[in-house]
Amino acid sequence: GRVDPANALVPFGRFDTVHFARLLVLEDETLGDLEAYGAAFDAPVYLLFLGDCDGPAETMLDALAREAEAGLRRIFAHCQGFSPGADLRRWMDAHAVRPATAYVNWIGRTVRQVREEAALHDTLSARREPGAAGESARAARERLKAAVLAESPAPTPLPATPLRWRLADAADAVGGVLVLLIAAPLLAVYAPVFLAILRSRETRDPVIAPPADLAKMRAIGAADDHDVSNAFSAVGSLKPGWFRLSTVSFILWFLNWANRHIFRRGRLARVGTIHFARWVFLDGKRRMVFASNYDGALDSYMDDFINKAGYGLNLVFSNGAGYPRTRFLVLDGAQDEQAFKFFLRRHQLPTDVWYKAYPGLTAFDLARNAEIRRGFERRSMTDGEAARWLALI
């Protein structure tokens, strides 16, 4: 990432379970948009500290409070209510906000696994040499494996998924289905009322998507593309009223369930370039933050979503103040590409501090390296399988 992993304030590199982390100031320049809806409120300026880590968040916070206490105290000293004698760990707990929805590219893939599999790929690539004439793919694979194992240890065996986690995951999957089945009759009765209110709102809600501020975009762009991955951060207000709040709350609940049980192996809908993402409510669910870590440039990231999952963008973000006009919640909206990009740029914030544990690696690289590792650990392969495995290297 763009952060020195051994910096004196928060040495992210010391924590070998952190995938990504960021610090940014949530200075929302779009609060005035609510006046177009006949509503307004004053929101404080927040400092956001966000991380994606292996294992329980509580364990990570314990480690941060223990190993980066002095630096975190210097940072949080600028926050209201943080006193020099404050219990740092308790203060972080008191100010923690759970995401409404979180997405993980590949549930269960750890930082250690990513790094070891990347090292294995590098070693295999460096040691691969042309074989003798007529050498089979299987023989070439065995020769390469032997050369690598002679000079470096095999990757650490992947731990088995704990039974408790498997049971909890299964219970959550079944529970979500049961909730939908139980709610289905009520949703069917509510549907005509919902569509009538929705269309009435969609035809009247103001669109606020002026051309992007070039100076702001240049400032944000200067921090982008220093790695194959980038950070995206945005904040905005929800359209006021119970209707939009109940709609987006249900959608985010379902998306959170789907991310855990459907979109859990490399793709969010058909988009495969996102490592982690989350949606977080603020200020009594009047505002929302969206943060993601993605591969490539922002324009290609937006195009990817517009072309492959525009309906998903509309489902969530059309409940935000100023969003391009939709039809029946899923149509139009993001399909007005220029208006959508102007809207997104308007709500984007500079990510002041951004850390990535494995610079230079895309989500595609991580998936390829995991496949290489699986092939490396297999006892035997056919000639065809060995040829395809060698081609990955």
Side-chain angles (χ1 to χ4, degrees):
R2 298 193 300 270
V3 165
D4 172 9
N7 74 85
L9 286 172
V10 187
F12 296 104
R14 190 183 300 172
F15 307 100
D16 58 6
T17 61
V18 176
H19 292 258
F20 292 87
R22 74 184 71 190
L23 281 154
L24 67 144
V25 177
L26 289 179
E27 191 165 10
D28 189 354
E29 298 175 356
T30 67
L31 276 174
D33 293 354
L34 286 174
E35 294 176 3
Y37 296 81
F41 76 99
D42 268 339
V45 176
Y46 292 117
L47 172 68
L48 174 70
F49 182 24
L50 183 153
D52 300 291
C53 66
D54 300 324
E58 292 76 15
T59 302
M60 187 69 248
L61 290 172
D62 287 342
L64 282 165
R66 185 174 59 251
E67 312 236 359
E69 179 178 3
L72 288 174
R73 285 187 179 278
R74 284 183 61 188
I75 294 169
F76 295 147
H78 298 278
C79 297
Q80 290 183 358
F82 186 85
S83 61
D87 183 316
L88 177 62
R89 181 66 179 85
R90 185 175 298 175
W91 188 87
M92 288 195 291
D93 259 346
H95 291 79
V97 182
R98 293 184 63 85
T101 302
Y103 168 75
V104 178
N105 179 275
W106 195 282
I107 293 175
R109 181 182 287 153
T110 65
V111 175
R112 180 175 188 172
Q113 180 182 346
V114 169
R115 289 173 170 168
E116 289 190 349
E117 288 172 355
L120 176 64
H121 172 240
D122 290 344
T123 305
L124 287 166
S125 180
R127 294 294 172 267
R128 187 174 178 186
E129 298 174 355
E135 183 182 39
S136 69
R138 280 189 299 174
R141 171 179 174 269
E142 292 303 321
R143 175 174 53 79
L144 182 57
K145 278 188 63 176
V148 169
L149 290 173
E151 66 176 54
S152 60
T156 305
L158 298 178
T161 303
L163 178 60
R164 179 188 299 179
W165 190 93
R166 288 182 180 274
L167 293 174
D169 185 58
D172 185 71
V174 173
V177 173
L178 289 176
V179 168
L180 292 173
L181 289 174
I182 293 169
L186 297 175
L187 293 175
V189 172
Y190 176 55
V193 178
F194 172 80
L195 290 174
I197 298 174
L198 176 68
R199 286 304 294 147
S200 173
R201 301 291 180 89
E202 286 181 325
T203 56
R204 293 185 292 110
D205 280 344
V207 174
I208 307 172
D213 183 301
L214 294 181
K216 174 185 173 183
M217 290 305 98
R218 279 195 291 268
I220 292 176
D224 283 347
D225 300 328
H226 293 270
D227 184 70
V228 294
S229 304
N230 283 303
F232 181 83
S233 307
V235 65
S237 300
L238 294 178
K239 294 172 180 175
W242 67 269
F243 179 76
R244 288 295 186 174
L245 177 58
S246 60
T247 300
V248 76
S249 295
F250 176 77
I251 290 168
L252 288 177
W253 170 82
F254 176 76
L255 181 58
N256 197 43
W257 178 86
N259 288 343
R260 293 195 300 270
H261 305 292
I262 301 173
F263 308 128
R264 58 192 287 169
R265 288 293 182 263
R267 290 187 178 275
L268 178 55
R270 293 190 295 144
V271 179
T273 55
I274 303 175
H275 293 261
F276 294 88
R278 68 183 65 195
W279 293 256
V280 184
F281 284 123
L282 295 176
D283 303 311
K285 295 190 175 181
R286 288 183 290 183
R287 290 197 299 162
M288 188 162 61
V289 171
F290 173 71
S292 65
N293 301 286
Y294 65 95
D295 297 326
L298 180 58
D299 272 332
S300 63
Y301 175 54
M302 290 190 289
D303 290 340
D304 217 16
F305 262 104
I306 291 170
N307 295 329
K308 297 178 180 178
Y311 66 91
L313 293 172
N314 292 340
L315 276 171
V316 178
F317 293 109
S318 69
N319 298 288
Y323 192 82
R325 205 172 301 286
T326 55
R327 282 187 300 124
F328 299 106
L329 201 61
V330 295
L331 302 175
D332 298 341
Q335 297 306 317
D336 185 345
E337 180 180 341
Q338 186 175 66
F340 172 74
K341 288 183 176 179
F342 282 165
F343 172 84
L344 210 61
R345 292 285 199 177
R346 177 174 168 77
H347 291 271
Q348 186 180 4
L349 297 170
T351 302
D352 300 299
V353 174
W354 184 64
Y355 168 76
K356 178 184 177 184
Y358 27 87
L361 295 176
T362 65
F364 172 83
D365 295 329
L366 269 55
R368 178 205 59 208
N369 292 347
E371 191 173 349
I372 289 172
R373 186 242 185 86
R374 286 191 292 270
F376 184 84
E377 293 178 340
R378 281 184 58 176
R379 290 181 179 274
S380 62
M381 285 184 173
T382 65
D383 247 4
E385 289 171 335
R388 287 190 291 273
W389 182 78
L390 290 167
L392 291 173
I393 300 169

